[in-house]
Amino acid sequence: MAAPAPARAARGRGCAGSLLGGRREKSPPERKVYMDYNATTPLEPEVIRVMTEAMQEAWGNPSSPYPAGRKAKDVIASSREALARMLGGKPQDIIFTSGGTESNNLVIHSAVKHFQETQGPKGEQQSPGERARPHIVTCTVEHDSIRLPLEHLVEEQVAEVTFVPVSKVSGQAEADAVLAAVRPTTCLVTIMLANNETGVVMPVSEISRRVRALSQQRAASGLPRVLLHTDAAQALGKRRVDVEDLGVDFLTIVGHKFYGPRIGALYVRGLGKLTPLYPMLFGGGQERNFRPGTENTPMIAGLGKAAELVTENCEAYEAHMRDVRDYLEERLQAEFGRKRVRLNSCFPGAERLPNTCNFSIHGPQLQGYLVLAQCRMLLASVGASCHSDQGDRPSPVLLSCGVPFDMARNALRLSVGRSTTRADVDLAVQDLKQAVARLEGQA
């Protein structure tokens, strides 16, 4: 069945128009084509509906015994079950958070805290300088909500971190490189499930399998268990995600990437029993004390409905987005020529998300941000939205993946969604063609 289409995103304001018969007629509003779904997605109508119902009917405090409170508690429980079904996990292993940044920071905080408590000094008290520091392995193309907290830990001399380079052949953090970075003090390996700029899917299942086997060998020597985390923000809603297949201990969920509200959740395998979690906040005891604070019932309701839609329609969403994305790449090469367009997200043998097209058009005046500034219909980005202030500096992610400097500087990331059509693609490519012509002085 066809994927349900949210209302068409953003249409521009009309200009004043011409004067006819003594009165000014308004021109029709210029159509906008949104292709930045990796940055954020609109709310599905069904998500808006359940959030509105929760505001009206489940407004009570979920910890209260009267009907409005019990209704809120039921809504939260139902949403927790919906998220678990989407992931192939258990409801009791889901913790609601404010979003992906909090979830990622919570994982890093917990891994460091667990290492400190289980590998701390035995017998005579050691000074902080003598105590072994926890070590974390990640890769060079992670989101800032992983990279920055890790860099902060290094600056504060709380932990040591290895940033494993991704392969310039596959665009992936490869299992051999990750395993080679593991040390006796390694407590966490965190590798994103899919990159937000290239769409490349990382071999998380293979990494998890091999790290788990290594942890079993380490146990005999009293070395700490290596916990496994993946940030699945970009993958959810675009491909099937199953925590059993992935074999991870932690998985980050971000609602606004799959047509839900701007909150998130964290999957923790065997929460508090098999896998440790240490709260960063302390308060009223909500979320079993792991994430206290009165629950945001309407947002949680919306997140649950968004997860339910993914569970029911993921294959249809994926097939539609892949068809439109492939058509987009065909049109780009047809209009600009195969020799002039570089598809930065195509790596031999590496899977990528079905909706993501990162490309560059060769030309000295065609830096990505300049091309977008000339576009009149297309709404897109040059890369991660959190790096939108970088101007003409090329994406570190693309450079890490081996994209040449001049091509990385010209890169654009177009990411299509559930409602994007081939007609949208035609409009966007024509807009790009005209933008390029203006920049090159041909218009």
Side-chain angles (χ1 to χ4, degrees), residues 117-440:
E117 292 200 355
T118 58
Q119 303 295 314
K122 299 176 177 64
E124 291 188 11
Q125 186 70 28
Q126 292 176 313
S127 68
E130 296 173 328
R131 189 178 304 166
R133 290 179 194 159
H135 173 247
I136 297 168
V137 178
T138 188
C139 73
T140 53
V141 299
E142 292 290 324
H143 190 268
D144 279 358
S145 59
I146 290 289
R147 181 180 63 84
L148 292 176
L150 291 179
E151 289 179 351
H152 176 73
L153 290 177
V154 172
E155 289 171 6
E156 296 293 314
Q157 299 185 348
V158 173
E160 296 174 343
V161 180
T162 298
F163 291 90
V164 175
V166 294
S167 165
K168 289 179 169 54
V169 175
S170 67
Q172 297 174 320
E174 297 186 331
D176 286 344
V178 172
L179 267 290
V182 173
R183 305 176 186 173
T185 53
T186 301
C187 62
L188 177 69
V189 169
T190 173
I191 303 292
M192 63 182 6
L193 186 49
N195 185 263
N196 48 309
E197 293 191 40
T198 64
V200 169
V201 177
M202 302 294 176
V204 172
S205 296
E206 182 188 358
I207 292 169
S208 294
R209 177 178 54 78
R210 293 181 59 180
V211 169
R212 285 186 180 280
L214 180 62
S215 284
Q216 291 177 352
Q217 298 171 15
R218 289 160 58 102
S221 306
L223 293 176
R225 170 187 167 199
V226 180
L227 297 166
L228 293 146
H229 167 247
T230 191
D231 180 350
Q234 286 297 338
L236 288 166
K238 300 165 188 167
R239 68 192 300 273
R240 281 290 173 192
V241 175
D242 188 296
V243 290
E244 294 305 317
D245 290 343
L246 293 173
V248 293
D249 300 301
F250 304 100
L251 183 142
T252 294
I253 302 160
V254 181
H256 75 98
K257 304 293 188 181
F258 57 97
Y259 293 74
R262 287 182 183 156
I263 64 164
L266 179 66
Y267 163 83
V268 187
R269 183 184 300 275
L271 175 60
K273 297 177 182 178
L274 295 176
T275 305
L277 192 70
Y278 292 79
M280 292 192 297
L281 305 174
F282 297 89
Q286 294 85 355
E287 293 297 281
R288 290 157 285 169
N289 282 312
F290 292 113
R291 205 288 183 181
T294 304
E295 300 91 339
N296 191 335
T297 308
M299 300 285 267
I300 290 173
L303 185 63
K305 174 53 73 172
E308 184 182 311
L309 292 172
V310 168
T311 301
E312 294 171 354
N313 302 298
C314 192
E315 284 78 10
Y317 295 156
E318 183 176 1
H320 171 76
M321 288 187 282
R322 179 173 285 108
D323 175 75
V324 175
R325 190 274 313 276
D326 289 350
Y327 178 69
L328 168 63
E329 292 181 347
E330 291 170 8
R331 295 296 304 130
L332 286 170
Q333 291 180 325
E335 288 294 337
F336 293 101
R338 289 181 176 271
K339 291 185 178 179
R340 198 177 184 198
V341 171
R342 187 186 199 279
L343 299 178
N344 301 320
S345 47
C346 291
F347 293 89
E351 182 188 353
R352 60 174 169 146
L353 295 175
N355 79 317
T356 305
C357 169
N358 193 305
F359 71 98
S360 302
I361 305 170
H362 184 71
Q365 298 111 338
L366 303 183
Q367 289 94 333
Y369 79 102
L370 293 177
V371 174
L372 281 181
Q374 287 291 327
C375 287
R376 294 171 179 173
M377 287 182 286
L378 176 63
L379 303 175
S381 64
V382 296
S385 52
C386 51
H387 295 155
S388 59
D389 61 347
Q390 286 189 342
D392 64 347
R393 285 179 289 171
S395 160
V397 168
L398 295 183
L399 294 176
S400 296
C401 293
V403 177
F405 184 93
D406 59 335
M407 287 287 97
R409 191 175 58 175
N410 286 15
L412 293 170
R413 181 191 68 179
L414 304 190
S415 47
V416 303
R418 299 172 187 176
S419 64
T420 311
T421 65
R422 289 188 171 210
D424 292 330
V425 168
D426 291 337
L427 287 171
V429 173
Q430 188 61 28
D431 197 23
L432 283 167
K433 190 174 181 181
Q434 292 171 355
V436 167
R438 282 191 288 272
L439 285 171
E440 294 184 328

